[in-house]
Amino acid sequence: MPEPIEVRKVPIHSVADASELQRLLDDGVMDASRVVAIIGKTEGNGGVNDYTRIIADRAFREVLVKNGAPADQVKQVPIVWSGGTDGVISPHATIFATVPVDRAEQSEEPRLTVGFAMSEPILPEEIGYVGMVDKVADAVKIAMERAGITDPADVHYVQTKTPLLTIHTIRDAKSRGKEVWTEHTHESMDLSNGTTGLGIAKALGEVDEVTDADIMHNRAKYSSVASCSSGVELDQAQVVVVGNARGVGGRYRIGHSVMTDALDQDGIWAAIRDAGLDLPERPHSADLDGRLVNVFLKCEVSQDGAVHGRRNAMLDDSDVHWHRQIKSAVGGVTAAVTGDPAVFVSVSAAHQGPDGGGPVAAIVDLGSGEPTGYRWTAPA
């Protein structure tokens, strides 16, 4: 049986700041050697050359090592950074750590569990093809097993980090007589994420089969729990499966839903309800009362260039890429629901939720006593 999970969201005060992780360790909330995953937002451009992800990665790993976690172990901790805090989105990190059973609240109800796996190395010529889909699917199944999850219905969030194409890896493929799906490195971000989304969908039985022709074209095939990110930091798929299991204990529970479009606040509220939080029929952010730890969303511009029947110009804008525009828009919608701008909103959601929408996962605190989520009080 996996150990109970403690999960906290902390602000990031500057690009290289990990002081709030240090505060959690100093206060005894978590032990450095028990941190199993970190998922966060950094304030870079969100593109291929977003080095804020690397800076933040180093800062957080250094804190773990400084506080006694073995360096070799820390190297293997999945730390997934999504670059770009456009609009009101605030830089932050959500930290997952195991806790001893005797320190956790006991419950036979479904409670949060986390599993991690790395795929086999992904070659540049596999990005955008079934070869990558299958490697991701295999890793998801391993992560599920490590989380103690046997039923795919108990999986509510799968966060991944996968390689994208760079000039270096494109040249590497060509030097071996191979072709790549695209030679546009920024486009390869969408491609890597979309291929990974289909790998998650295949592993969880959300689709029956995937062909090369489906990838980036058949948007009817998608995962409702996938959150896929890509970058230059690795050559494998880094997979974090988050779900619920009975008997594990702890304070936290996760649920999910989907936003059907960029304005679908009801989809966010549905994920929070699915996590087990009782809410009124027409909820307000104040009803969360510190019980919401965080929400995790993927978003995408609708391929028809419209929202609620109204045309927008995001796909035609040559000055500001649509990645940044839709991230900012959905970030604002999400913060309006939660009352907290520190929300995980990531763009490039091909095969992750329906076209123009995206998956939503919510982690809530159902424990006794003072809740551990964020409360904001308006100044007097």
Side-chain angles (χ1 to χ4, degrees):
M1 176 66 70
E3 291 184 289
I5 296 291
E6 182 68 36
V7 55
R8 298 293 179 96
K9 179 172 66 178
V10 298
I12 297 175
H13 301 297
S14 65
V15 174
D17 173 61
S19 62
E20 297 292 345
L21 169 59
Q22 183 64 59
R23 186 190 301 271
L24 290 177
L25 302 177
D26 289 343
D27 292 346
V29 175
M30 297 174 173
D31 183 278
S33 64
R34 286 181 167 272
V35 171
V36 295
I38 299 173
I39 299 170
K41 293 292 299 182
T42 65
E43 59 202 86
N45 61 24
V48 175
N49 64 334
D50 185 350
Y51 300 112
T52 64
R53 297 184 298 235
I54 297 173
I55 294 169
D57 188 273
R58 176 176 294 179
F60 275 71
R61 291 188 197 276
E62 286 177 350
V63 166
L64 294 177
V65 172
K66 185 179 75 172
N67 285 270
D72 288 345
Q73 175 184 316
V74 171
K75 287 179 182 178
Q76 300 303 313
V77 174
I79 301 183
V80 180
W81 297 109
S82 171
T85 51
D86 303 84
V88 300
I89 300 172
S90 184
H92 68 279
T94 304
I95 304 160
F96 300 81
T98 61
V99 293
V101 173
D102 59 4
R103 280 186 50 192
E105 289 193 23
Q106 303 304 304
S107 176
E108 290 303 315
E109 293 299 310
R111 288 296 183 262
L112 190 73
T113 182
V114 177
F116 164 68
M118 295 289 284
S119 76
E120 293 296 316
I122 294 170
L123 300 173
E125 61 267 26
E126 292 179 314
I127 298 174
Y129 297 99
V130 170
M132 181 176 178
V133 169
D134 289 341
K135 287 182 177 180
V136 169
D138 289 343
V140 170
K141 292 175 183 177
I142 293 170
M144 279 181 61
E145 182 178 352
R146 291 175 177 171
I149 297 174
T150 56
D151 186 349
D154 291 325
V155 175
H156 294 276
Y157 178 48
V158 182
Q159 178 65 57
T160 62
K161 191 76 173 187
T162 51
L164 46 70
L165 292 169
T166 66
I167 294 300
H168 173 75
T169 57
I170 292 169
R171 287 176 177 171
D172 170 64
K174 287 183 174 181
S175 73
R176 294 181 285 102
K178 305 295 183 179
E179 294 185 356
V180 294
W181 199 93
T182 180
E183 294 190 22
H184 297 283
T185 57
H186 198 272
E187 181 184 31
S188 77
M189 180 181 295
D190 297 333
L191 176 66
S192 180
N193 292 356
T195 310
T196 304
L198 287 173
I200 295 167
K202 184 173 181 178
L204 300 180
E206 296 177 283
V207 298
D208 293 329
E209 61 176 323
V210 177
T211 67
D212 288 342
D214 288 326
I215 299 171
M216 303 304 290
H217 297 294
N218 186 354
R219 297 299 182 101
K221 291 187 176 183
Y222 63 81
S223 171
S224 62
V225 298
S227 177
C228 306
S229 183
S230 53
V232 299
E233 305 97 311
L234 70 175
D235 63 359
Q236 298 167 276
Q238 195 178 65
V239 178
V240 181
V241 167
V242 188
N244 297 315
R246 290 186 181 273
V248 68
R251 302 177 61 90
Y252 304 98
R253 183 168 169 171
I254 188 170
H256 79 278
S257 185
V258 295
M259 291 180 75
T260 57
D261 57 56
L263 300 179
D264 183 18
Q265 294 190 28
D266 289 342
I268 303 171
W269 287 117
I272 297 170
R273 284 192 173 96
D274 189 55
L277 205 61
D278 289 330
L279 294 168
E281 183 178 353
R282 293 181 63 83
H284 181 270
S285 60
D287 297 315
L288 298 172
D289 195 29
R291 292 288 175 185
L292 179 66
V293 177
N294 206 2
V295 288
F296 305 84
L297 299 89
K298 291 295 291 189
C299 58
E300 182 90 351
V301 169
S302 177
Q303 296 295 295
D304 65 5
V307 176
H308 287 197
R310 295 290 196 181
R311 165 179 93 85
N312 61 70
M314 285 187 281
L315 291 173
D316 292 322
D317 195 330
S318 297
D319 296 313
V320 181
H321 195 276
W322 65 263
H323 276 193
R324 308 199 73 163
Q325 298 191 46
I326 192 65
K327 190 189 306 176
S328 179
V330 174
V333 170
T334 306
V337 168
T338 65
D340 181 3
V343 288
F344 187 92
V345 177
S346 176
V347 76
S348 188
H351 302 298
Q352 302 151 72
D355 180 39
V360 187
I363 296 175
V364 302
D365 180 352
L366 300 178
S368 59
E370 185 68 16
T372 57
Y374 180 75
R375 281 194 181 108
W376 177 75
T377 303

